[in-house]
Amino acid sequence: MTREEYRNGRSTTINHFYEKLFKLKDLMNTSYGRELAEQRHDYMVQFVDQFKREWEGTDR
C-alpha cells in the first residue's frame, strides 16, 4: 500500500493499533527500551479491550 492509499483509506483508528502500534515493542533495541515498550504495549491492549467493550455495550 502506498502512502497515498494509506492516507485515503477507510480504515479505523483502532485498526492502526493492530497495523503498527502493537508491533513496536518487538522493534526496540535496548533492554530498557523493550521494558518500557512492553509496559506501554500492555496499556494499549487494555485500552483497546476497554474501548471494544464500551463500543459493543458489554461494559456494564
Side-chain angles (χ1 to χ4, degrees), residues 3 6-7 11-28 37 41 44:
R3 184 171 194 253
Y6 182 78
R7 286 291 199 191
S11 183
T12 66
T13 301
I14 292 296
N15 197 44
H16 185 67
F17 281 86
Y18 295 98
E19 290 176 340
K20 186 174 184 180
L21 298 177
F22 286 153
K23 297 176 183 178
L24 292 174
K25 71 180 178 75
D26 297 325
L27 301 175
M28 299 298 110
H41 176 87
M44 289 188 297

Side-chain angles (χ1 to χ4, degrees), residues 23-53:
K23 297 176 183 178
L24 292 174
K25 71 180 178 75
D26 297 325
L27 301 175
M28 299 298 110
N29 294 317
T30 65
S31 59
Y32 184 64
R34 285 187 294 275
E35 182 182 331
L36 287 176
E38 187 67 41
Q39 293 170 8
R40 291 173 181 158
H41 176 87
D42 293 344
Y43 182 87
M44 289 188 297
V45 168
Q46 291 176 19
F47 171 82
V48 170
D49 288 345
Q50 179 69 29
F51 178 86
K52 286 180 178 180
R53 286 192 304 272

